[in-house]
Amino acid sequence: MTTTLPDSAMANAIRVLAMDAVQKANSGHPGMPMGMAEIAVALWSRHYRHNPANPKWFNRDRFLLSNGHGSMLQYALLHLTGYDLSMDDIKQFRQLHSKTPGHPEVHVVPGVETTTGPLGQGITNAVGMALAEKLLASAFNRQGFDLVDHYTYVFLGDGCLMEGVSHEACSLAGTWRLNKLIALYDDNGISIDGDVSGWLTDDTPKRFEAYGWNVIPRVDGHDVEAVSSAIARAKQSDKPTLICCQTIIGKGSPNKAGTHDVHGAALGEKEVEATRAALGWRYPPFEMPPDIYKAWDAREEGKRRQSEWDALLVSYSKQYPVESLEFMRRMKGELPSQFESVVQKYIADCVSKKETIATRRASQNAIQAFAPVLPELLGGSADLTGSNLTNWKESIKLTRDEPGNYISYGVREFGMSAILNGVALHGGFIPFGGTFLTFSDYSRNALRMAALMQVRAIFVFTHDSIGVGEDGPTHEPIEHIASMRLIPNLNNWRPCDTVESAVAWAHAIWRKDGPTTLIFSRQNLPYQERTEEQILNVGRGGYVLRDAPDIKVVLVATGSEVALAVDASAALAQRGIAARVVSMPSTEVFDSQTAEYRASVLPEGVPRIAIEAGIADYWRKYVGLKGDVVGMNTFGESAPAGVLFSYFGFTVDNVVSRALALLGK
């Protein structure tokens, strides 16, 4: 955009909007928006390519506010440049059901690319987005047709760099040479506790140089020309770039600028008025003069840029019709038409083979069956491919120079998970990554953010119980599945054999409104016979696997304990006690079924026992206080798996004994 308005006036518009909104809410973080205002002017008025009328235009640049506590900076930019974010929305900052929540939320605020707040994850999401851009460009661009060609810009602060996940992700970004990733670091030296020199003495430029980044140090963050020039230089690099912008937090505030007092609290009415005077801003709160709006308005420029790209796509479609159709399919998130039939054929193969194998191997077999028809599948593992079994025969390992479809993330579970979120948010891929279930703790906040953002990401966790055996309690997940089941909108699947593993994978791929975890065993599990109706019901999360007339007890189990429940039901039958076995690979999916279906699986008035080699208390919601749970209430031990299952009571004799006690026999 072109404007004759001074840069200082454009920057001050951000400052006053931020301080006024925070003051009205009496809550928020005015310091960062006030300190980064000139950086925002440099990027958004001179480099950032976007279309406010169509926030989801595919070839837009991506902008991520990793230091999301400064959300009013982004809201001010969106409002001023012409997005569907009104001044009334700004006035409702941090209020119930407003379009301006405390931290940016991707499905709430038009123009927001990812939900940020937990520091470090925004920059990590950005690495995922830049990776997706690079891989899609490699797949679809042709000579003269740069169909995929956009930058990923990130604002981040000291807090993002102190969080370990930024180290995991930025190290990978340098290794992968994601040269269209440009991060602008708000180096203001202040966090909530005060001057960071007492706890952050890293040489940040050298740190990023060691990662393999292009680093532009000591840029005056209040000099728009200097920042803009740095961004222009960054675009010429063959590496990701960190621009270190030295700023004053809360700039413009006469008495609080440069202090931690302006970081996370409203300025106060007197300081707001003093700031207005210091800035020479003569307008009342929430009033913007026409020349400010005119200077910031990006709608015409955005319309022009998208029109040019639309014309490019039309020409591309004529010259490369097959590639064009595939590109559009993937951008829409639609699956290939043959995927459904591939799933059904593979399930039929599982039924015919009746294999007794570990479900981690069953998972790999499912990937092998599905991946050849899913070019959008982007797999990987956090240094455990040989154990997680997340690769497939045709997979190509990603390197700096090879645009593969399989990623070795190294020992970076949290970074991997947040990168998956970024890839999914970008579009064009269905990403998945694997590690041991016990390390889901490292990934947990990224799982939570995936669920909150409703992203289509798949998290594979193997070695799912005390069946890990000799590795001992450090590697035996006890509470992990239960804790993940507590996260809203996260579907967790723990299948018991090849058929359930195939169904779990298919449902994870089909799902568009949230993430899925797939939880697999290290040890071999026997195949379970089913009717066609039962196979269909696997997808309902829970179903009757074995039944008998006039049932007296219901045994509910998941994963490796389903076989135990089946054997225990047979032993109970020999005693004249009819037991129903319910396999419940996904409690979340089961809970989403109709009340009638759930009652048909778990009939009222029939005592229930849940069996799972995980924390017992979770299952009380299904068995009630009068039911029983064969589960874990302690950490595990180091011993062969068979010894541990016996020691902790996962035996036919114990289940039968508990059933008899429950029935008063």
Side-chain angles (χ1 to χ4, degrees):
M1 69 185 73
T2 59
T3 177
T4 58
L5 198 70
D7 293 331
S8 60
M10 296 177 70
N12 286 341
I14 294 173
R15 290 191 170 96
V16 297
L17 273 179
M19 71 175 185
D20 285 345
V22 172
Q23 186 63 40
K24 183 176 186 297
N26 195 28
S27 174
H29 299 74
M32 186 280 267
M34 296 174 73
M36 292 194 78
E38 283 86 5
I39 301 172
V41 172
L43 175 61
W44 278 62
S45 71
R46 304 187 184 186
H47 297 276
Y48 186 50
R49 299 175 299 178
H50 60 123
N51 183 6
N54 183 9
K56 296 301 182 183
W57 166 44
F58 169 74
N59 205 41
R60 67 193 182 277
D61 290 336
R62 269 60 169 180
F63 173 76
L64 293 84
L65 194 73
S66 191
N67 43 353
H69 55 272
S71 57
M72 265 311 305
L73 173 66
Q74 189 164 18
Y75 300 157
L77 288 167
L78 294 170
H79 169 72
L80 292 169
T81 55
Y83 284 79
D84 182 20
L85 199 71
S86 68
M87 189 62 82
D88 285 339
D89 293 322
I90 299 293
K91 292 177 182 178
Q92 290 300 304
F93 179 58
R94 289 189 165 224
Q95 304 309 301
L96 182 65
H97 298 151
S98 76
K99 291 169 70 175
T100 49
H103 293 82
E105 295 185 35
V106 67
H107 294 303
V108 174
V109 191
V112 167
E113 300 287 356
T114 184
T115 300
T116 54
L119 294 176
Q121 288 195 66
I123 177 63
T124 308
N125 294 164
V127 171
M129 291 186 184
L131 175 63
E133 191 275 344
K134 181 175 183 176
L135 294 178
L136 284 171
S138 174
F140 290 102
N141 286 0
R142 298 292 184 270
Q143 185 68 36
F145 291 95
D146 289 335
L147 196 64
V148 182
D149 180 19
H150 49 266
Y151 286 89
T152 301
Y153 296 103
V154 191
F155 284 3
L156 73 161
D158 291 313
C160 295
L161 296 182
M162 283 187 270
E163 289 286 358
V165 69
S166 70
H167 163 74
E168 297 181 24
C170 292
S171 173
L172 284 170
T175 298
W176 296 334
R177 284 191 179 267
L178 301 179
N179 63 303
K180 288 191 172 180
L181 173 62
I182 299 174
L184 294 107
Y185 166 35
D186 179 28
D187 184 9
N188 61 41
I190 296 293
S191 67
I192 290 177
D193 276 359
D195 190 325
V196 300
S197 60
W199 49 87
L200 180 63
T201 57
D202 306 7
D203 189 327
T204 297
K206 287 184 179 178
R207 169 184 165 187
F208 275 77
E209 286 174 1
Y211 292 151
W213 284 53
N214 171 44
V215 178
I216 303 176
R218 295 181 298 279
V219 174
D220 182 350
H222 301 302
D223 184 334
V224 173
E225 290 295 338
V227 175
S228 179
S229 175
I231 295 171
R233 288 162 54 196
K235 290 180 177 179
Q236 303 305 311
S237 177
D238 63 350
K239 304 174 182 179
T241 296
L242 179 73
I243 302 173
C244 300
C245 302
Q246 295 178 315
T247 63
I248 299 171
I249 191 171
K251 182 175 173 60
S253 170
N255 301 301
K256 295 187 177 183
T259 73
H260 71 279
D261 294 331
V262 75
H263 187 290
L267 296 180
E269 292 182 3
K270 289 184 179 180
E271 188 66 11
V272 165
E273 289 307 312
T275 302
R276 264 189 165 71
L279 296 176
W281 191 268
R282 63 182 185 273
Y283 303 98
F286 303 108
E287 182 177 316
M288 286 285 130
D291 59 342
I292 288 289
Y293 280 119
K294 182 178 179 181
W296 272 111
D297 193 345
R299 288 173 292 186
E300 283 302 315
E301 179 73 4
K303 180 180 178 181
R304 181 187 66 79
R305 288 188 182 278
Q306 182 171 349
S307 295
E308 290 175 353
W309 185 82
D310 289 343
L312 178 69
L313 179 59
V314 170
S315 298
Y316 180 90
S317 301
K318 291 177 180 178
Q319 190 156 341
Y320 302 101
V322 175
E323 291 86 347
S324 175
L325 288 173
E326 178 67 6
F327 175 77
M328 296 306 294
R329 178 188 71 79
R330 287 175 60 171
M331 293 312 103
K332 293 176 182 176
E334 297 174 352
L335 295 174
S337 58
Q338 68 268 40
F339 181 65
E340 174 77 31
S341 62
V342 169
V343 170
Q344 297 310 318
K345 181 180 182 301
Y346 176 65
I347 291 174
D349 289 343
C350 292
V351 172
S352 64
K353 290 179 180 177
K354 304 183 186 336
E355 291 180 298
T356 291
I357 56 176
T359 52
R360 61 173 172 157
R361 178 67 68 186
S363 166
Q364 186 178 45
N365 292 346
I367 297 170
Q368 183 61 59
F370 301 158
V373 297
L374 292 172
E376 60 264 53
L377 207 59
L378 182 63
S381 177
D383 202 48
L384 290 169
T385 295
S387 295
N388 296 151
L389 305 181
T390 37
N391 59 346
W392 62 101
K393 291 178 182 177
E394 298 84 5
S395 60
I396 301 170
K397 185 172 287 190
L398 173 76
T399 67
R400 175 177 295 175
D401 303 312
E402 180 67 40
N405 56 8
Y406 189 82
I407 303 172
S408 291
Y409 287 94
V411 187
R412 299 180 177 95
E413 297 88 357
F414 191 4
M416 173 185 71
S417 301
I419 287 171
L420 296 186
N421 290 345
V423 171
L425 286 163
H426 180 278
F429 292 98
I430 301 175
F432 72 88
T435 186
F436 289 170
L437 178 58
T438 194
F439 301 141
S440 64
D441 281 341
Y442 289 150
S443 300
R444 183 176 176 83
N445 202 264
L447 297 179
R448 183 177 186 271
M449 296 304 293
L452 179 62
M453 295 189 289
Q454 304 171 32
V455 301
R456 193 185 203 173
I458 302 171
F459 303 92
V460 178
F461 297 118
T462 69
H463 296 60
D464 67 345
S465 71
I466 56 173
V468 173
E470 293 88 345
D471 276 342
T474 62
H475 281 56
E476 291 166 6
I478 302 304
E479 75 282 10
H480 300 71
I481 301 175
S483 70
M484 292 192 302
R485 287 172 178 151
L486 298 178
I487 299 176
N489 197 42
L490 179 64
N491 283 358
N492 304 279
W493 289 80
R494 187 178 184 234
C496 75
D497 68 356
T498 56
V499 168
E500 287 192 359
S501 297
V503 172
W505 258 109
H507 276 259
I509 291 168
W510 278 322
R511 190 179 188 210
K512 285 187 174 184
D513 61 353
T516 301
T517 76
L518 301 174
I519 302 164
F520 299 114
S521 72
R522 177 194 189 190
Q523 71 274 24
N524 289 344
L525 304 182
Y527 174 82
Q528 300 294 333
E529 294 286 352
R530 296 174 187 82
T531 64
E532 290 185 9
E533 181 181 1
Q534 287 174 316
I535 292 174
L536 289 174
N537 284 338
V538 172
R540 304 179 82 164
Y543 64 102
V544 178
L545 178 63
R546 297 286 182 272
D547 210 5
D550 193 23
I551 57 173
K552 302 301 182 185
V553 65
V554 177
L555 308 179
V556 185
T558 76
S560 52
E561 287 68 69
V562 169
L564 171 58
V566 170
D567 291 343
S569 70
L572 285 167
Q574 292 178 355
R575 293 172 173 261
I577 298 173
R580 168 179 288 184
V581 176
V582 170
S583 178
M584 196 177 290
S586 176
T587 59
E588 299 80 17
V589 175
F590 178 75
D591 289 348
S592 71
Q593 304 303 307
T594 65
E596 291 77 12
Y597 177 77
R598 285 181 278 123
S600 73
V601 175
L602 299 176
E604 290 293 332
V606 181
R608 306 167 189 170
I609 299 178
I611 312 167
E612 186 176 60
I615 205 72
D617 286 351
Y618 172 83
W619 288 97
R620 287 293 166 189
K621 65 181 286 189
Y622 297 102
V623 303
L625 295 178
K626 294 182 179 180
D628 197 4
V629 182
V630 178
M632 298 291 295
N633 293 298
T634 68
F635 292 110
E637 297 279 354
S638 179
V643 173
L644 292 180
F645 279 114
S646 177
Y647 176 77
F648 286 107
F650 294 95
T651 64
V652 170
D653 286 347
N654 186 47
V655 174
V656 169
S657 175
R658 301 275 279 269
L660 293 175
L662 187 63
L663 297 172
K665 296 182 180 293

